[in-house]
């Protein structure tokens, strides 16, 4: 294939049918090799933002290469900014000789100036046509100070998306400030959307008075309307020139339902990129749905690239029938070709004439498989292998037209009632309703005692027939068979501190110790004494627990027998740290050990703790004492999801709690009162989760109901950033019920959330 060099047409190869997909940059391997050759033959590394100038030159925010690359219409790639080293040096010199730090977005104005969201430098940079780089927004410090002054003198907080309108105004998706900022040609900065608080309140009012939730991308049309990828609200918002905000795509619930209907009535899933064509159609990088969506001027949404399954298959065929992998930024050239940063495929791909084509009609049913395949199994033990079939299309699917075929690798055998290595299952008499039940295509399999150790790759096919007329799905399912060896004692274990406690004086946290068998062999030392000495400045407190997170049948957890001595300086655990002896202790075992920094502890790093595990060589334990922690007045709470249920139905929603500037907050046990919006009542079920830690930290909340369920009272300690197990944010998941007498189709915002001494925050609910 050849490329077209005509003005305004980007590097998309010519000769392809409308709607066909091709790679224009990146060969699928992460990294950086060189510049000066064909873009499709070199490497890019997690590309994020893309834009095309009026001459058809494609610019790419090559994020992990710390560069902005450009691809000419004839397909040649070079670097436009960044020397490949992450960081910041200076401005005023050649853009290719200075540093960027994980650039996230790019835009070009009509004069040929390139704007770069230099995300981790908390700046927006400008590269003139002669290649000189300067800063136009952000002073390099993360945060928010004020508006109305010089953009270069204020703060940004991880800016991602940038866009420029015809008047030379620069728009910035100021990600962690939950705002969109505008920089005028004279260099002054203001906020045009978002009040700085994360969440979603409503539409139809002033954009600067409502909430956004981690905006990541922006685009501006010829009439001055601003479009925002409101990522964690799972919406695309529109701000008119007079400042009124509305939703144009996404109903606020994460996921995928269907195409072909109103964009505001369907689901998006962490959308990233936004772009517009000359006819006013909106294009969305629907990242976690692995699709590019198109919203026409009449508000109808369709898919133009990606079939919803993550991965890479090939190029040259219809874009809507192939795979993309977390697509991010999107852009169009003047010929109507669309370009997307296919982030996890390490490619930038183009779709031919997407602006002119009519997207294919969505299938009657859109089926996909959730693979069930353990990484490692014991020889002689049964395990599950296969997939659960789900439907995300608009219509139900008849199970008689769905067949699952599992071709077992030689060395594996099916369970009772099966013969041979080809296992099949058809679901006659079953209906697969959209977004509800599943078809069970999971088989019971085992590795006989005669199977040698090693990795065995089976294949799974999900075949569709009848009126579904969908492409078959094929998956490779590798499983490593571990052969039991003679059981060793604790000296065969590898033991190390998995997380380091980091907490303010007087505050509590926990840390993890990991026990693993490096060769995957069974280790069963029996019950042994394990003696832990706390690092200086710390004391042991509370109940230590264990967990097997890699067990075949799910997580296995429990409490450890223990005693605390020497005023908290010593912890003695009596337990059997066995691994790989059964299906329930596969992989490694993690001990989670609560500690407290002494009230008189001096801030600093302490490395003089130890763990003596039976006859094992002692292991060093470290801890870090930080500055003082704040109380709940430093917390901020936002409604992360909106409960929506029909009268009498139960659903759940999330509250997200963060701290100002991610500072440590440890208020102790306080009362949190949540009032249900009109038409709803609480059931009393509530849980919490810290999902920015690995492994996740979750549990149930202590609750009581008042006013007949109208009020939920929680007593807990919403601590944040006091250590490695409570990083960044805390999620409260609350179960709520729409009253049987509630009026369908209503939405109320008179609920509220009050945490300790914090001012109440409004709470919204919607009756379907």
């Amino acid at each position: 294939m050849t490329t077209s060099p005509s003005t305004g047409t980007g590097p998309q190869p010519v000769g392809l049918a409308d709607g066909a997909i091709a790679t224009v940059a990146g060969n699928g391997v992460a990294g950086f090799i060189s510049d000066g050759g064909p873009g499709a033959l070199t490497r890019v590394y997690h590309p994020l933002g893309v834009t095309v100038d009026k001459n058809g030159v494609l610019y790419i925010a090559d994020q992990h290469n710390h560069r902005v690359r450009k691809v000419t219409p004839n397909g040649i790639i070079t670097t436009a900014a960044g020397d490949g080293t992450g960081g910041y040096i200076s401005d005023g010199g050649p853009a290719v000789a200075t540093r960027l730090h994980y650039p996230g977005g790019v835009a070009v104005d009509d004069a040929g100036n390139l704007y770069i969201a230099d995300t981790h430098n908390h700046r927006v940079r400008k590269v003139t046509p002669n290649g000189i780089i300067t800063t136009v927004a952000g002073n390099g410090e993360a945060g928010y100070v004020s508006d109305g002054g010089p953009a270069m003198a204020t703060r940004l907080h991880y800016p991602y998306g940038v866009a420029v309108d015809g008047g030379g105004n620069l728009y910035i998706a100021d990600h962690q400030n939950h705002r969109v900022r505008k920089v005028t040609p004279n260099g002054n900065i203001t906020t045009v959307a978002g009040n700085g608080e994360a969440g979603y309140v409503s539409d139809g009012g002033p954009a600067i008075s409502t909430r956004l939730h981690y905006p990541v991308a922006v685009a501006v049309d010829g009439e001055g309307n601003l479009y925002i990828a409101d990522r964690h609200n799972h919406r695309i918002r529109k701000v008119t020139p007079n400042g009124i905000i509305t939703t144009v795509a996404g109903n606020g619930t994460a996921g995928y339902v269907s195409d072909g209907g109103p964009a505001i009535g369907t689901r998006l899933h962490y959308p990233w990129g936004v772009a517009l064509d000359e006819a006013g159609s909106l294009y969305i990088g629907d990242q976690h749905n692995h699709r590019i969506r198109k919203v026409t001027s009449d508000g109808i949404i369709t898919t133009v690239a990606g079939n919803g399954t993550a991965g890479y298959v090939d190029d040259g065929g219809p874009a809507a029938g192939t795979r993309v992998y977390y697509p991010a930024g999107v852009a169009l050239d003047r010929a109507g070709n669309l370009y997307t940063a296919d982030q996890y495929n390490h490619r930038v791909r183009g779709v031919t004439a997407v602006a002119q084509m009519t997207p294919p009609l969505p299938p009657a049913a859109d089926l996909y498989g959730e693979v069930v395949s353990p990484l490692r199994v014991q020889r002689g033990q049964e395990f599950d292998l296969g997939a659960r079939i789900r439907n995300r299309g608009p219509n139900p699917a008849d199970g008689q037209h769905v067949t699952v075929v599992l071709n077992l690798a030689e060395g594996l055998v099916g369970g009772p009632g099966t013969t041979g290595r080809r296992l099949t299952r058809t679901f006659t008499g079953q209906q697969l309703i959209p977004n509800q039940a599943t078809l069970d295509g999971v088989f019971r399999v085992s590795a006989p005692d005669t199977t040698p150790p090693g990795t065995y790759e089976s294949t799974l096919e999900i075949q569709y027939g009848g009126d579904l007329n969908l492409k078959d799905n094929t998956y490779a399912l590798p499983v490593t068979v571990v052969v039991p060896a003679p059981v060793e004692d604790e000296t065969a274990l590898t033991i190390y501190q998995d997380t380091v406690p980091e907490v303010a004086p007087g505050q509590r946290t926990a840390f993890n110790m990991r026990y693993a068998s490096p060769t995957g062999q069974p280790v069963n030392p029996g019950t042994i004494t394990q003696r832990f000495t706390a690092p200086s400045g710390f004391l042991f407190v509370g109940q230590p627990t264990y967990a097997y997170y890699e067990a075949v049948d799910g997580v296995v957890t429990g409490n450890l027998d223990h005693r605390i001595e020497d005023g908290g300086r010593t912890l003695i655990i009596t337990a059997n740290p066995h691994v790989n002896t059964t299906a329930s202790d596969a992989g490694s075992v993690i001990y989670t050990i609560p500690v407290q920094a002494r009230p008189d502890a001096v801030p600093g790093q302490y490395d003089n703790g130890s763990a003596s595990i039976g006859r094992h060589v002692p292991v060093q334990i470290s801890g870090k004492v930080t500055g003082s922690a704040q109380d709940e007045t430093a917390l901020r709470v936002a409604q992360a999801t909106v409960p929506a249920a029909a009268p009498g139905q139960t659903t759940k929603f999330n509250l997200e709690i963060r701290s100002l500037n991610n500072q440590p907050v440890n208020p102790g046990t306080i009362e949190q009162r949540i009032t249900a919006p009109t038409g709803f009542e609480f059931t009393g079920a509530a849980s919490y989760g810290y999902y920015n830690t690995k492994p996740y930290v979750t549990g149930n909340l202590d609750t009581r109901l008042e006013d007949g369920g109208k009020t939920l009272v929680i007593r807990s300690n919403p601590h944040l950033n006091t250590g490695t197990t409570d990083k960044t944010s805390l999620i409260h998941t609350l179960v709520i019920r729409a009253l049987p007498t509630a009026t369908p189709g209503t939405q109320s915002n008179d609920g509220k959330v009050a945490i300790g001494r914090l001012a109440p925050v409004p709470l919204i609910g919607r009756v379907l």
Side-chain angles (χ1 to χ4, degrees), residues 501-515:
E502 185 174 332
V503 71
Q507 307 302 328
R508 295 190 179 198
T509 185
F511 70 95
N512 293 336
M513 297 291 296
R514 185 181 293 269
Y515 298 58

Side-chain angles (χ1 to χ4, degrees), residues 597-615:
R598 296 171 60 100
D600 59 351
V602 177
Q605 174 86 19
Y606 298 94
D607 302 313
N608 56 352
S610 66
S612 297
I613 313 301
R615 292 173 291 171

Side-chain angles (χ1 to χ4, degrees), residues 445-467:
V445 176
S446 65
D449 291 336
T450 56
T451 301
T455 300
Y456 294 81
E457 187 171 282
S458 304
T459 59
L460 179 77
E461 301 172 39
I462 304 172
Q463 300 175 348
Y464 309 112
D467 295 332

Side-chain angles (χ1 to χ4, degrees), residues 637 639 641-643 650-656 672-676 681-688 701-703 712-714 731-737 752-753 763:
V637 60
Q639 185 175 3
T641 57
V642 175
T650 298
T651 185
K652 58 186 177 181
F653 69 98
N654 293 337
L655 299 176
E656 182 180 58
Q672 303 147 61
R673 300 182 68 86
I674 302 107
T675 303
E681 64 181 1
F682 291 105
T683 68
S687 61
Y688 70 88
L701 289 165
D702 180 12
T703 67
L712 176 72
V713 181
I714 297 172
I731 301 295
H732 281 183
T733 300
L734 313 180
V735 180
I736 198 168
R737 178 186 301 111
K752 62 182 179 180
V753 182
L763 181 64

Side-chain angles (χ1 to χ4, degrees), residues 215-228:
V216 288
V218 285
V220 188
D221 67 17
E223 297 178 355
N225 296 297
L226 171 69
Y227 295 81
I228 306 166

Side-chain angles (χ1 to χ4, degrees), residues 290-385:
H290 309 291
R291 300 170 183 261
I292 306 296
R293 317 285 288 277
K294 176 180 180 179
V295 181
T296 51
S297 57
D298 59 359
I300 301 301
I301 193 167
T302 53
T303 293
V304 295
N307 62 7
T309 300
Y312 175 81
V313 181
D314 52 24
D315 283 320
T322 194
R323 298 181 182 181
V324 293
Y325 201 172
Y326 291 120
V330 289
L332 286 101
D333 64 21
R334 296 194 174 183
N337 301 309
L338 178 138
Y339 301 87
T340 182
D342 195 356
Q343 189 184 13
Y344 276 67
N345 277 326
H346 307 292
R347 302 170 183 260
V348 175
R349 302 173 79 183
V351 182
T352 301
V354 73
Q356 289 80 36
M357 66 170 287
T358 300
L361 291 174
D366 186 0
L367 307 187
Y368 66 102
E370 289 183 348
V371 169
V372 176
S373 179
L375 296 176
R376 183 171 54 231
V377 299
Q378 291 284 342
R379 185 170 70 181
Q381 295 177 353
E382 291 187 340
F383 58 94
D384 289 332
L385 197 62

